[in-house]
Amino acid sequence: MVDRKLRLAGLAGASGVAGSYAVAGYTRQFVVAPIDAAVVRATPGPVVAWAITNVGTEAHLLHVALATAIAIGTLGGVGVGGYLVSRRLTGRRQFAGGVLAGALVWGLTTALTAAPLLALGSAVPVGLVTALEAVVAPAPESDGTDSERRAALSSIGTLLFVGVAGGLGWASLRDSERSADGPDEEAQSFDVSALRSQAESRELDFTSEDLPGLVSPIGEFYNVDIAEFDPDLPPADWTLSFSGEVDRELTVSFEEIQERPTEHRFVTLRCVGESLNGEKLDTAIWTGTPLKPLLDEVDPDGACGCAMLRAEDDYFVQFPVDALEDGFLAWGMNGRPLPDAHGHPVRVLVPGHWGETNVKWLSEIELLREPADGYWEKRGWHGTGPVNTVAKLWDVTHLEDGRVEVGGHAYAGTRGIERVEVSTDGGASWETATVSERLPGDDVWRQWRHVYRPDGAHEVVVRAIDGDGTVQPRDRSEAFPSGATGWVSREITP
Ligand SMILES: Nc1nc2c(c(=O)[nH]1)N[C@H]1C(S)=C(S)[C@@H](COP(=O)(O)O)O[C@H]1N2
Ligand SMILES: [Mo]
Protein backbone atom coordinates (compact mmCIF):
# COMPACT_ATOMS: atom_id res chain seq x y z
CA MET A 1 0.00 0.00 0.00
CA VAL A 2 2.74 2.43 1.06
CA ASP A 3 4.71 1.15 -1.87
CA ARG A 4 1.88 2.03 -4.27
CA LYS A 5 1.52 5.53 -2.85
CA LEU A 6 5.23 6.09 -3.23
CA ARG A 7 5.17 4.86 -6.81
CA LEU A 8 2.20 7.10 -7.54
CA ALA A 9 3.99 10.08 -5.99
CA GLY A 10 7.10 9.36 -8.06
CA LEU A 11 5.07 9.06 -11.25
CA ALA A 12 3.00 12.17 -10.52
CA GLY A 13 6.07 14.20 -9.51
CA ALA A 14 8.05 13.15 -12.57
CA SER A 15 5.17 13.98 -14.90
CA GLY A 16 4.76 17.36 -13.18
CA VAL A 17 8.45 18.21 -13.62
CA ALA A 18 8.41 17.00 -17.24
CA GLY A 19 5.25 19.00 -17.94
CA SER A 20 6.78 22.11 -16.42
CA TYR A 21 9.85 21.69 -18.62
CA ALA A 22 7.67 21.15 -21.68
CA VAL A 23 5.92 24.51 -21.26
CA ALA A 24 8.65 26.64 -19.66
CA GLY A 25 11.84 25.15 -21.12
CA TYR A 26 15.17 25.55 -19.33
CA THR A 27 14.27 28.95 -17.89
CA ARG A 28 13.54 30.54 -14.53
CA GLN A 29 9.88 29.50 -14.91
CA PHE A 30 10.84 25.79 -14.93
CA VAL A 31 9.84 24.47 -11.49
CA VAL A 32 13.36 23.10 -10.89
CA ALA A 33 14.93 26.58 -11.27
CA PRO A 34 13.99 28.16 -7.92
CA ILE A 35 14.74 24.91 -6.10
CA ASP A 36 18.15 24.80 -7.77
CA ALA A 37 18.83 28.38 -6.69
CA ALA A 38 17.99 27.41 -3.09
CA VAL A 39 20.26 24.36 -3.29
CA VAL A 40 23.14 26.51 -4.56
CA ARG A 41 22.54 29.13 -1.87
CA ALA A 42 22.47 26.47 0.84
CA THR A 43 25.67 24.74 -0.29
CA PRO A 44 28.53 25.53 2.14
CA GLY A 45 31.39 27.64 0.74
CA PRO A 46 34.11 24.98 1.07
CA VAL A 47 31.96 22.50 -0.90
CA VAL A 48 31.47 25.08 -3.67
CA ALA A 49 35.20 25.85 -3.78
CA TRP A 50 36.02 22.16 -3.93
CA ALA A 51 33.51 21.56 -6.72
CA ILE A 52 34.75 24.51 -8.79
CA THR A 53 38.36 23.41 -8.69
CA ASN A 54 37.86 19.63 -8.78
CA VAL A 55 34.64 18.90 -10.62
CA GLY A 56 34.85 21.89 -12.95
CA THR A 57 32.06 22.88 -15.24
CA GLU A 58 30.20 19.60 -14.70
CA ALA A 59 29.56 20.53 -11.06
CA HIS A 60 26.31 22.13 -12.06
CA LEU A 61 24.94 18.73 -13.14
CA LEU A 62 25.17 17.63 -9.52
CA HIS A 63 23.04 20.41 -8.07
CA VAL A 64 20.56 20.37 -10.95
CA ALA A 65 20.10 16.60 -10.44
CA LEU A 66 19.55 17.16 -6.73
CA ALA A 67 17.10 20.00 -7.41
CA THR A 68 15.22 17.83 -9.93
CA ALA A 69 14.93 15.02 -7.39
CA ILE A 70 13.61 17.45 -4.78
CA ALA A 71 11.12 18.86 -7.31
CA ILE A 72 9.85 15.38 -8.20
CA GLY A 73 9.49 14.46 -4.54
CA THR A 74 7.78 17.70 -3.61
CA LEU A 75 5.30 17.88 -6.50
CA GLY A 76 4.54 14.17 -6.17
CA GLY A 77 4.21 14.37 -2.38
CA VAL A 78 1.94 17.41 -2.46
CA GLY A 79 -0.14 15.96 -5.30
CA VAL A 80 -0.66 12.54 -3.78
CA GLY A 81 -1.16 14.11 -0.35
CA GLY A 82 -3.97 16.24 -1.77
CA TYR A 83 -5.48 13.27 -3.51
CA LEU A 84 -5.46 11.14 -0.36
CA VAL A 85 -6.97 13.91 1.75
CA SER A 86 -9.74 14.41 -0.77
CA ARG A 87 -10.41 10.70 -0.81
CA ARG A 88 -10.60 10.60 2.96
CA LEU A 89 -12.98 13.56 3.04
CA THR A 90 -15.30 12.31 0.32
CA GLY A 91 -14.89 8.67 1.21
CA ARG A 92 -14.64 7.73 -2.42
CA ARG A 93 -12.01 7.63 -5.09
CA GLN A 94 -12.96 10.19 -7.65
CA PHE A 95 -11.76 12.91 -9.92
CA ALA A 96 -12.16 15.48 -7.17
CA GLY A 97 -8.94 14.03 -5.76
CA GLY A 98 -7.13 14.72 -9.00
CA VAL A 99 -8.51 18.24 -9.13
CA LEU A 100 -7.36 18.99 -5.59
CA ALA A 101 -3.93 17.47 -6.32
CA GLY A 102 -3.59 19.60 -9.46
CA ALA A 103 -4.73 22.74 -7.63
CA LEU A 104 -2.21 22.25 -4.83
CA VAL A 105 0.62 21.66 -7.27
CA TRP A 106 -0.46 24.69 -9.27
CA GLY A 107 -0.36 26.84 -6.13
CA LEU A 108 3.03 25.50 -5.13
CA THR A 109 4.55 25.95 -8.60
CA THR A 110 3.13 29.46 -8.88
CA ALA A 111 4.56 30.35 -5.48
CA LEU A 112 7.98 29.06 -6.59
CA THR A 113 8.14 30.48 -10.10
CA ALA A 114 5.72 33.44 -10.00
CA ALA A 115 4.38 32.27 -13.37
CA PRO A 116 0.73 31.21 -12.87
CA LEU A 117 0.00 30.30 -16.47
CA LEU A 118 3.12 28.19 -17.00
CA ALA A 119 2.48 26.53 -13.62
CA LEU A 120 -0.34 24.63 -15.35
CA GLY A 121 2.45 22.69 -17.02
CA SER A 122 3.17 20.88 -13.77
CA ALA A 123 -0.36 21.03 -12.28
CA VAL A 124 -2.24 19.34 -15.13
CA PRO A 125 -0.07 16.20 -15.38
CA VAL A 126 -0.06 15.72 -11.59
CA GLY A 127 -3.84 16.16 -11.50
CA LEU A 128 -4.29 13.69 -14.36
CA VAL A 129 -1.97 11.05 -12.96
CA THR A 130 -3.63 11.07 -9.54
CA ALA A 131 -7.16 11.17 -11.03
CA LEU A 132 -6.37 8.26 -13.32
CA GLU A 133 -5.05 6.28 -10.38
CA ALA A 134 -8.45 6.83 -8.75
CA VAL A 135 -10.08 5.20 -11.76
CA VAL A 136 -7.65 2.35 -12.10
CA ALA A 137 -7.24 1.24 -8.50
CA PRO A 138 -10.15 -0.94 -7.47
CA ALA A 139 -12.50 0.58 -4.93
CA PRO A 140 -12.77 -1.65 -1.87
CA GLU A 141 -16.22 -2.85 -2.94
CA SER A 142 -15.31 -3.48 -6.58
CA ASP A 143 -14.55 -6.93 -7.91
CA GLY A 144 -12.14 -5.67 -10.60
CA THR A 145 -9.70 -8.42 -11.40
CA ASP A 146 -5.95 -8.03 -11.28
CA SER A 147 -5.51 -8.48 -15.02
CA GLU A 148 -8.05 -5.75 -15.82
CA ARG A 149 -6.17 -3.42 -13.52
CA ARG A 150 -2.87 -4.28 -15.03
CA ALA A 151 -4.18 -3.68 -18.55
CA ALA A 152 -5.64 -0.32 -17.57
CA LEU A 153 -2.45 0.66 -15.76
CA SER A 154 -0.25 -0.21 -18.68
CA SER A 155 -2.38 1.78 -21.12
CA ILE A 156 -2.22 4.79 -18.79
CA GLY A 157 1.52 4.29 -18.52
CA THR A 158 1.83 4.25 -22.30
CA LEU A 159 -0.31 7.37 -22.66
CA LEU A 160 1.77 9.19 -20.07
CA PHE A 161 4.99 8.09 -21.67
CA VAL A 162 3.88 9.27 -25.10
CA GLY A 163 2.64 12.55 -23.65
CA VAL A 164 5.79 13.25 -21.68
CA ALA A 165 8.13 12.20 -24.48
CA GLY A 166 6.20 14.33 -26.98
CA GLY A 167 6.26 17.32 -24.63
CA LEU A 168 9.99 16.99 -23.98
CA GLY A 169 10.74 16.58 -27.68
CA TRP A 170 8.72 19.67 -28.48
CA ALA A 171 10.42 21.64 -25.71
CA SER A 172 13.93 20.74 -26.81
CA LEU A 173 13.09 21.58 -30.43
CA ARG A 174 11.81 24.95 -29.33
CA ASP A 175 14.89 25.56 -27.16
CA SER A 176 17.29 24.67 -29.94
CA GLU A 177 15.54 27.17 -32.19
CA ARG A 178 15.66 29.83 -29.51
CA SER A 179 19.39 29.39 -28.91
CA ALA A 180 20.32 29.08 -32.58
CA ASP A 181 23.02 31.70 -32.24
CA GLY A 182 24.70 31.30 -35.57
CA PRO A 183 28.21 32.51 -36.24
CA ASP A 184 29.24 35.78 -34.66
CA GLU A 185 29.41 37.54 -38.00
CA GLU A 186 25.71 37.05 -38.72
CA ALA A 187 23.09 39.48 -37.52
CA GLN A 188 25.47 42.16 -36.33
CA SER A 189 23.77 44.90 -34.33
CA PHE A 190 26.89 46.99 -33.77
CA ASP A 191 29.60 47.57 -36.33
CA VAL A 192 32.72 46.07 -34.82
CA SER A 193 34.25 45.02 -38.12
CA ALA A 194 37.21 47.40 -37.69
CA LEU A 195 38.21 45.78 -34.40
CA ARG A 196 37.55 42.33 -35.75
CA SER A 197 39.97 42.86 -38.61
CA GLN A 198 42.55 44.37 -36.25
CA ALA A 199 42.38 41.13 -34.28
CA GLU A 200 42.54 38.92 -37.35
CA SER A 201 45.57 40.71 -38.78
CA ARG A 202 47.46 40.26 -35.51
CA GLU A 203 46.78 36.57 -35.04
CA LEU A 204 49.80 34.27 -35.13
CA ASP A 205 50.11 31.66 -37.83
CA PHE A 206 49.82 28.44 -35.86
CA THR A 207 50.28 25.15 -37.66
CA SER A 208 47.90 23.66 -35.14
CA GLU A 209 44.26 24.38 -35.76
CA ASP A 210 43.35 23.86 -32.10
CA LEU A 211 44.43 27.24 -30.82
CA PRO A 212 41.79 29.90 -30.22
CA GLY A 213 42.02 33.24 -32.01
CA LEU A 214 42.33 36.64 -30.35
CA VAL A 215 38.54 37.11 -30.17
CA SER A 216 36.54 34.28 -28.60
CA PRO A 217 33.29 33.46 -30.42
CA ILE A 218 30.24 33.98 -28.19
CA GLY A 219 29.45 30.26 -28.11
CA GLU A 220 32.98 29.44 -26.93
CA PHE A 221 33.37 32.24 -24.38
CA TYR A 222 33.59 30.68 -20.93
CA ASN A 223 30.67 31.07 -18.58
CA VAL A 224 30.56 31.25 -14.77
CA ASP A 225 27.26 31.89 -12.99
CA ILE A 226 26.01 31.37 -9.48
CA ALA A 227 22.58 30.70 -10.98
CA GLU A 228 21.92 27.75 -13.25
CA PHE A 229 18.98 29.62 -14.77
CA ASP A 230 19.88 33.05 -16.12
CA PRO A 231 17.72 36.06 -15.33
CA ASP A 232 15.43 36.90 -18.23
CA LEU A 233 15.48 40.66 -18.28
CA PRO A 234 13.89 42.66 -21.12
CA PRO A 235 15.93 45.83 -21.74
CA ALA A 236 12.76 47.92 -21.22
CA ASP A 237 12.55 46.61 -17.63
CA TRP A 238 16.23 47.20 -16.86
CA THR A 239 17.48 50.09 -14.75
CA LEU A 240 20.75 50.79 -12.96
CA SER A 241 20.62 52.73 -9.68
CA PHE A 242 23.45 54.45 -7.91
CA SER A 243 22.65 54.51 -4.20
CA GLY A 244 24.20 54.77 -0.72
CA GLU A 245 26.99 57.27 -0.02
CA VAL A 246 26.39 59.56 -2.97
CA ASP A 247 25.70 63.26 -3.31
CA ARG A 248 22.97 62.65 -5.85
CA GLU A 249 21.12 59.37 -6.34
CA LEU A 250 20.72 58.36 -9.95
CA THR A 251 18.74 55.76 -11.85
CA VAL A 252 19.34 55.24 -15.56
CA SER A 253 17.30 53.24 -18.06
CA PHE A 254 18.56 51.12 -20.92
CA GLU A 255 17.54 53.80 -23.38
CA GLU A 256 19.40 56.52 -21.47
CA ILE A 257 22.54 54.46 -21.15
CA GLN A 258 22.62 53.83 -24.88
CA GLU A 259 22.43 57.54 -25.61
CA ARG A 260 25.78 58.02 -23.89
CA PRO A 261 29.05 58.05 -25.84
CA THR A 262 29.48 54.53 -27.20
CA GLU A 263 32.79 52.68 -27.60
CA HIS A 264 33.95 49.28 -28.75
CA ARG A 265 36.71 47.71 -26.66
CA PHE A 266 38.71 44.50 -26.52
CA VAL A 267 38.54 43.18 -22.97
CA THR A 268 39.83 39.86 -21.63
CA LEU A 269 38.18 38.09 -18.68
CA ARG A 270 39.70 35.42 -16.45
CA CYS A 271 38.01 33.54 -13.60
CA VAL A 272 39.90 33.32 -10.30
CA GLY A 273 38.57 29.75 -9.91
CA GLU A 274 40.22 28.33 -13.02
CA SER A 275 43.15 25.93 -12.80
CA LEU A 276 46.62 27.14 -13.80
CA ASN A 277 46.38 25.90 -17.38
CA GLY A 278 42.57 26.13 -17.46
CA GLU A 279 40.40 27.70 -20.11
CA LYS A 280 38.27 30.19 -18.21
CA LEU A 281 40.12 32.96 -20.03
CA ASP A 282 38.56 34.67 -23.04
CA THR A 283 38.40 37.91 -24.96
CA ALA A 284 35.53 39.64 -26.71
CA ILE A 285 34.84 42.93 -28.45
CA TRP A 286 32.48 44.72 -26.08
CA THR A 287 30.20 47.63 -26.92
CA GLY A 288 29.23 50.07 -24.19
CA THR A 289 29.98 53.29 -22.35
CA PRO A 290 32.55 54.28 -19.70
CA LEU A 291 31.36 54.34 -16.08
CA LYS A 292 33.42 57.33 -14.94
CA PRO A 293 31.04 60.08 -16.13
CA LEU A 294 28.14 58.39 -14.32
CA LEU A 295 30.19 58.09 -11.12
CA ASP A 296 31.18 61.76 -11.42
CA GLU A 297 27.52 62.65 -11.68
CA VAL A 298 26.56 60.91 -8.43
CA ASP A 299 29.77 62.01 -6.68
CA PRO A 300 30.57 59.14 -4.28
CA ASP A 301 31.73 60.16 -0.81
CA GLY A 302 31.78 56.98 1.28
CA ALA A 303 34.68 56.68 3.74
CA CYS A 304 35.89 53.29 2.45
CA GLY A 305 36.07 54.39 -1.19
CA CYS A 306 34.36 51.12 -2.01
CA ALA A 307 31.19 50.00 -3.73
CA MET A 308 28.86 47.01 -3.71
CA LEU A 309 27.62 45.99 -7.13
CA ARG A 310 24.37 44.02 -7.18
CA ALA A 311 22.71 42.01 -9.87
CA GLU A 312 19.36 40.62 -10.86
CA ASP A 313 20.42 37.05 -9.90
CA ASP A 314 21.18 38.22 -6.31
CA TYR A 315 24.90 38.17 -7.01
CA PHE A 316 26.91 40.93 -5.32
CA VAL A 317 30.53 41.92 -5.22
CA GLN A 318 32.46 44.64 -3.42
CA PHE A 319 35.63 46.39 -4.58
CA PRO A 320 37.28 49.86 -4.72
CA VAL A 321 35.62 52.79 -6.50
CA ASP A 322 39.05 53.50 -8.01
CA ALA A 323 38.89 50.26 -9.95
CA LEU A 324 35.29 50.93 -10.92
CA GLU A 325 36.20 54.33 -12.38
CA ASP A 326 38.08 52.60 -15.19
CA GLY A 327 35.05 50.36 -15.75
CA PHE A 328 32.79 50.04 -18.70
CA LEU A 329 29.05 49.29 -18.96
CA ALA A 330 28.62 46.86 -21.82
CA TRP A 331 25.47 45.94 -23.74
CA GLY A 332 27.14 44.45 -26.81
CA MET A 333 29.42 41.44 -27.30
CA ASN A 334 31.15 40.73 -30.62
CA GLY A 335 28.70 43.01 -32.40
CA ARG A 336 25.52 41.51 -30.93
CA PRO A 337 23.31 42.46 -28.00
CA LEU A 338 24.78 40.96 -24.82
CA PRO A 339 23.63 37.30 -24.69
CA ASP A 340 21.53 36.14 -21.71
CA ALA A 341 24.39 34.06 -20.34
CA HIS A 342 26.76 37.02 -20.33
CA GLY A 343 24.49 39.48 -18.52
CA HIS A 344 21.75 40.68 -20.86
CA PRO A 345 21.03 43.53 -21.10
CA VAL A 346 23.96 45.22 -19.28
CA ARG A 347 27.08 44.07 -17.42
CA VAL A 348 30.10 45.86 -16.06
CA LEU A 349 33.69 45.23 -17.16
CA VAL A 350 36.46 46.15 -14.76
CA PRO A 351 39.88 46.29 -16.43
CA GLY A 352 42.48 43.90 -15.09
CA HIS A 353 40.45 42.55 -12.18
CA TRP A 354 39.37 38.94 -11.78
CA GLY A 355 36.24 37.83 -13.63
CA GLU A 356 34.06 37.95 -10.54
CA THR A 357 34.09 41.78 -10.49
CA ASN A 358 32.54 41.88 -13.97
CA VAL A 359 28.95 41.81 -12.72
CA LYS A 360 26.34 40.59 -15.20
CA TRP A 361 22.64 41.62 -15.15
CA LEU A 362 23.86 44.64 -13.19
CA SER A 363 21.08 46.47 -11.32
CA GLU A 364 22.63 48.55 -8.55
CA ILE A 365 25.87 50.24 -7.61
CA GLU A 366 25.74 51.03 -3.91
CA LEU A 367 28.49 53.29 -2.61
CA LEU A 368 29.47 52.03 0.85
CA ARG A 369 30.62 53.62 4.08
CA GLU A 370 32.39 50.46 5.25
CA PRO A 371 33.70 47.46 3.33
CA ALA A 372 31.49 44.34 3.23
CA ASP A 373 32.02 40.90 1.74
CA GLY A 374 30.70 40.01 -1.70
CA TYR A 375 29.13 36.68 -2.69
CA TRP A 376 32.42 34.84 -3.28
CA GLU A 377 34.34 36.57 -0.50
CA LYS A 378 31.68 35.31 1.94
CA ARG A 379 32.64 31.87 0.67
CA GLY A 380 36.33 32.34 1.31
CA TRP A 381 37.62 33.56 -2.05
CA HIS A 382 39.87 36.60 -2.49
CA GLY A 383 39.06 37.34 -6.08
CA THR A 384 38.29 41.03 -6.42
CA GLY A 385 41.84 42.27 -7.00
CA PRO A 386 44.03 42.37 -10.12
CA VAL A 387 44.52 39.11 -12.03
CA ASN A 388 47.66 36.97 -11.74
CA THR A 389 50.01 36.81 -14.72
CA VAL A 390 49.77 33.59 -16.70
CA ALA A 391 51.11 31.97 -19.87
CA LYS A 392 48.92 29.05 -20.95
CA LEU A 393 50.35 26.05 -22.78
CA TRP A 394 47.28 25.16 -24.79
CA ASP A 395 48.81 23.19 -27.64
CA VAL A 396 51.72 20.91 -28.48
CA THR A 397 51.96 19.84 -32.13
CA HIS A 398 54.55 17.51 -33.64
CA LEU A 399 55.37 18.96 -37.06
CA GLU A 400 56.11 16.77 -40.07
CA ASP A 401 59.74 17.90 -40.21
CA GLY A 402 60.31 16.55 -36.69
CA ARG A 403 60.13 19.89 -34.92
CA VAL A 404 57.61 20.71 -32.20
CA GLU A 405 55.25 23.69 -32.12
CA VAL A 406 54.06 24.87 -28.70
CA GLY A 407 51.66 27.73 -28.20
CA GLY A 408 48.93 29.37 -26.19
CA HIS A 409 47.75 32.66 -24.79
CA ALA A 410 49.21 34.90 -22.11
CA TYR A 411 47.47 37.47 -19.93
CA ALA A 412 48.47 39.90 -17.18
CA GLY A 413 45.49 42.26 -16.95
CA THR A 414 46.30 45.96 -17.22
CA ARG A 415 50.03 45.29 -16.71
CA GLY A 416 50.02 43.76 -20.16
CA ILE A 417 52.21 40.97 -21.50
CA GLU A 418 55.74 42.09 -22.35
CA ARG A 419 57.27 38.73 -23.25
CA VAL A 420 56.70 34.99 -23.06
CA GLU A 421 59.62 32.66 -22.39
CA VAL A 422 59.82 28.96 -23.14
CA SER A 423 62.14 26.36 -21.69
CA THR A 424 62.54 22.97 -23.35
CA ASP A 425 64.82 21.60 -20.64
CA GLY A 426 62.60 21.76 -17.57
CA GLY A 427 63.47 25.37 -16.73
CA ALA A 428 67.30 25.27 -17.00
CA SER A 429 67.49 27.60 -20.00
CA TRP A 430 64.95 29.97 -21.58
CA GLU A 431 64.15 31.30 -25.03
CA THR A 432 61.83 34.10 -26.07
CA ALA A 433 58.65 33.04 -27.85
CA THR A 434 56.99 34.89 -30.72
CA VAL A 435 54.00 36.88 -29.41
CA SER A 436 51.11 38.38 -31.32
CA GLU A 437 51.22 42.13 -31.86
CA ARG A 438 49.47 44.03 -29.06
CA LEU A 439 45.77 44.69 -29.53
CA PRO A 440 44.50 48.17 -28.74
CA GLY A 441 43.10 48.40 -25.21
CA ASP A 442 44.64 48.10 -21.78
CA ASP A 443 43.24 44.73 -20.68
CA VAL A 444 43.95 42.22 -23.42
CA TRP A 445 45.74 38.91 -23.81
CA ARG A 446 48.35 37.98 -26.43
CA GLN A 447 49.04 34.74 -28.28
CA TRP A 448 52.49 33.15 -28.11
CA ARG A 449 54.19 30.50 -30.27
CA HIS A 450 57.54 28.69 -30.23
CA VAL A 451 58.94 26.07 -32.59
CA TYR A 452 62.02 23.96 -31.77
CA ARG A 453 63.79 20.68 -32.60
CA PRO A 454 63.41 18.25 -29.69
CA ASP A 455 66.18 16.02 -28.43
CA GLY A 456 64.52 13.02 -26.79
CA ALA A 457 62.04 13.24 -23.96
CA HIS A 458 61.96 16.65 -22.35
CA GLU A 459 59.92 19.02 -20.25
CA VAL A 460 58.48 22.23 -21.71
CA VAL A 461 57.89 25.10 -19.28
CA VAL A 462 56.38 28.50 -20.09
CA ARG A 463 56.27 31.76 -18.18
CA ALA A 464 55.16 35.29 -18.96
CA ILE A 465 56.84 38.59 -18.13
CA ASP A 466 54.36 41.39 -17.54
CA GLY A 467 54.55 45.03 -18.62
CA ASP A 468 56.26 45.98 -15.34
CA GLY A 469 59.04 43.50 -16.10
CA THR A 470 57.87 41.10 -13.37
CA VAL A 471 58.32 37.41 -14.13
CA GLN A 472 55.27 35.21 -13.49
CA PRO A 473 55.95 33.71 -10.02
CA ARG A 474 57.19 30.13 -10.01
CA ASP A 475 55.65 29.03 -6.68
CA ARG A 476 52.63 26.87 -7.26
CA SER A 477 49.29 27.38 -5.57
CA GLU A 478 45.76 26.19 -6.20
CA ALA A 479 43.03 28.48 -7.50
CA PHE A 480 41.40 28.75 -4.09
CA PRO A 481 41.38 31.37 -2.63
CA SER A 482 43.20 33.94 -4.76
CA GLY A 483 43.94 32.41 -8.15
CA ALA A 484 46.34 29.70 -9.32
CA THR A 485 50.04 30.51 -9.49
CA GLY A 486 53.12 28.75 -10.90
CA TRP A 487 54.52 27.95 -14.35
CA VAL A 488 52.67 25.65 -16.74
CA SER A 489 54.81 22.68 -17.78
CA ARG A 490 54.38 19.51 -19.78
CA GLU A 491 56.49 16.35 -20.35
CA ILE A 492 56.91 15.70 -24.05
CA THR A 493 58.01 12.45 -25.67
CA PRO A 494 58.91 12.69 -29.38
N1 LIG B 1 25.39 38.65 -11.82
C1 LIG B 1 26.47 37.85 -11.89
N2 LIG B 1 27.62 38.35 -12.37
C2 LIG B 1 28.72 37.58 -12.46
C3 LIG B 1 28.70 36.23 -12.01
C4 LIG B 1 27.47 35.72 -11.52
O1 LIG B 1 27.35 34.55 -11.13
N3 LIG B 1 26.37 36.56 -11.47
N4 LIG B 1 29.85 35.47 -12.09
C5 LIG B 1 31.12 36.21 -12.09
C6 LIG B 1 32.29 35.39 -12.36
S1 LIG B 1 32.89 34.45 -11.07
C7 LIG B 1 32.97 35.45 -13.55
S2 LIG B 1 34.44 34.65 -13.75
C8 LIG B 1 32.44 36.24 -14.69
C9 LIG B 1 32.24 35.34 -15.87
O2 LIG B 1 31.66 36.06 -16.93
P1 LIG B 1 31.14 35.26 -18.20
O3 LIG B 1 30.18 34.21 -17.74
O4 LIG B 1 30.53 36.28 -19.10
O5 LIG B 1 32.37 34.63 -18.81
O6 LIG B 1 31.19 36.86 -14.38
C10 LIG B 1 31.09 37.37 -13.08
N5 LIG B 1 29.86 38.10 -12.97
MO1 LIG C 1 34.98 33.78 -11.65
Side-chain angles (χ1 to χ4, degrees):
M1 193 58 187
V2 170
D3 198 39
R4 218 186 70 210
K5 282 180 200 158
L6 273 181
R7 231 182 307 142
L8 179 63
L11 193 62
S15 67
V17 169
S20 172
Y21 177 73
V23 299
Y26 207 67
T27 67
R28 295 201 141 194
Q29 283 76 48
F30 178 29
V31 66
V32 171
I35 297 174
D36 182 68
V39 167
V40 171
R41 253 197 313 273
T43 309
V47 178
V48 180
W50 177 86
I52 287 177
T53 38
N54 295 293
V55 191
T57 47
E58 281 70 43
H60 71 113
L61 293 178
L62 294 176
H63 57 80
V64 175
L66 179 59
T68 306
I70 295 174
I72 292 174
T74 312
L75 295 190
V78 167
V80 171
Y83 162 69
L84 291 175
V85 166
S86 150
R87 205 179 64 175
R88 185 146 310 157
L89 290 180
T90 60
R92 274 184 297 147
R93 298 189 176 87
Q94 45 158 260
F95 281 104
V99 172
L100 183 62
L104 287 174
V105 166
W106 177 82
L108 177 66
T109 309
T110 304
L112 285 169
T113 62
L117 203 60
L118 292 174
L120 291 174
S122 57
V124 171
V126 173
L128 276 179
V129 169
T130 46
L132 286 174
E133 143 77 12
V135 175
V136 172
E141 67 276 15
S142 103
D143 55 359
T145 63
D146 254 16
S147 66
E148 273 172 1
R149 274 187 54 207
R150 237 176 270 135
L153 259 181
S154 70
S155 51
I156 288 169
T158 313
L159 260 175
L160 260 176
F161 178 79
V162 170
V164 166
L168 290 180
W170 175 72
S172 64
L173 252 178
R174 179 202 52 202
D175 285 354
S176 67
E177 262 169 39
R178 199 186 278 168
S179 68
D181 259 346
D184 278 356
E185 296 74 34
E186 280 172 28
Q188 292 281 293
S189 307
F190 314 106
D191 184 10
V192 295
S193 53
L195 276 79
R196 199 178 276 285
S197 36
Q198 280 178 330
E200 276 162 14
S201 68
R202 284 163 169 79
E203 271 162 17
L204 293 180
D205 233 344
F206 291 107
T207 313
S208 161
E209 310 219 319
D210 296 337
L211 277 153
L214 286 171
V215 175
S216 315
I218 288 176
E220 282 161 35
F221 201 104
Y222 85 89
N223 199 212
V224 177
D225 295 332
I226 57 162
E228 176 72 17
F229 300 84
D230 298 332
D232 180 8
L233 202 60
D237 295 349
W238 179 87
T239 58
L240 170 62
S241 328
F242 293 80
S243 62
E245 304 291 313
V246 291
D247 261 11
R248 279 175 300 278
E249 297 211 333
L250 174 69
T251 299
V252 286
S253 69
F254 188 64
E255 217 170 288
E256 285 161 352
I257 208 103
Q258 284 196 302
E259 281 161 7
R260 296 188 161 255
T262 301
E263 294 173 21
H264 309 293
R265 289 189 188 177
F266 292 104
V267 179
T268 301
L269 295 189
R270 182 185 180 200
C271 183
V272 69
E274 73 150 1
S275 60
L276 182 60
N277 200 30
E279 291 177 358
K280 292 194 177 94
L281 170 67
D282 277 296
T283 302
I285 302 168
W286 307 88
T287 300
T289 196
L291 245 174
K292 178 98 170 41
L294 285 156
L295 284 169
D296 287 347
E297 244 173 75
V298 302
D299 198 9
D301 53 14
C304 68
C306 60
M308 184 72 85
L309 274 57
R310 296 182 205 279
E312 212 57 44
D313 59 345
D314 293 333
Y315 181 76
F316 52 102
V317 63
Q318 185 244 218
F319 58 97
V321 176
D322 277 356
L324 198 58
E325 284 189 336
D326 301 325
F328 191 62
L329 289 174
W331 54 80
M333 184 177 186
N334 292 356
R336 305 166 140 238
L338 207 57
D340 283 344
H342 298 288
H344 185 81
V346 180
R347 81 179 302 167
V348 71
L349 295 168
V350 183
H353 288 245
W354 289 109
E356 67 164 82
T357 60
N358 300 264
V359 178
K360 307 188 271 189
W361 313 287
L362 180 67
S363 57
E364 185 186 355
I365 297 182
E366 184 194 354
L367 284 307
L368 300 179
R369 194 187 308 242
E370 290 166 22
D373 278 341
Y375 182 94
W376 288 116
E377 314 328 286
K378 276 186 190 291
R379 288 158 177 78
W381 291 87
H382 301 293
T384 60
V387 293
N388 297 344
T389 299
V390 71
K392 305 277 185 179
L393 174 54
W394 278 345
D395 194 66
V396 176
T397 300
H398 296 268
L399 305 181
E400 274 171 18
D401 62 9
R403 293 181 306 158
V404 173
E405 174 188 74
V406 285
H409 288 51
Y411 177 56
T414 50
R415 299 180 299 279
I417 289 293
E418 183 59 42
R419 206 164 68 242
V420 172
E421 293 179 343
V422 183
S423 168
T424 56
D425 53 12
S429 65
W430 295 87
E431 277 181 274
T432 302
T434 310
V435 290
S436 59
E437 205 189 315
R438 252 178 245 284
L439 282 172
D442 51 14
D443 183 22
V444 227
W445 64 7
R446 294 173 88 160
Q447 292 173 321
W448 66 270
R449 175 180 190 262
H450 184 65
V451 176
Y452 62 94
R453 193 162 292 283
D455 181 17
H458 60 283
E459 185 191 5
V460 168
V461 192
V462 287
R463 64 184 188 193
I465 289 87
D466 73 14
D468 301 335
T470 307
V471 178
Q472 177 181 338
R474 178 181 198 163
D475 283 347
R476 281 202 175 232
S477 67
E478 292 297 314
F480 185 81
S482 44
T485 61
W487 297 339
V488 178
S489 67
R490 173 119 59 113
E491 294 288 344
I492 295 179
T493 36

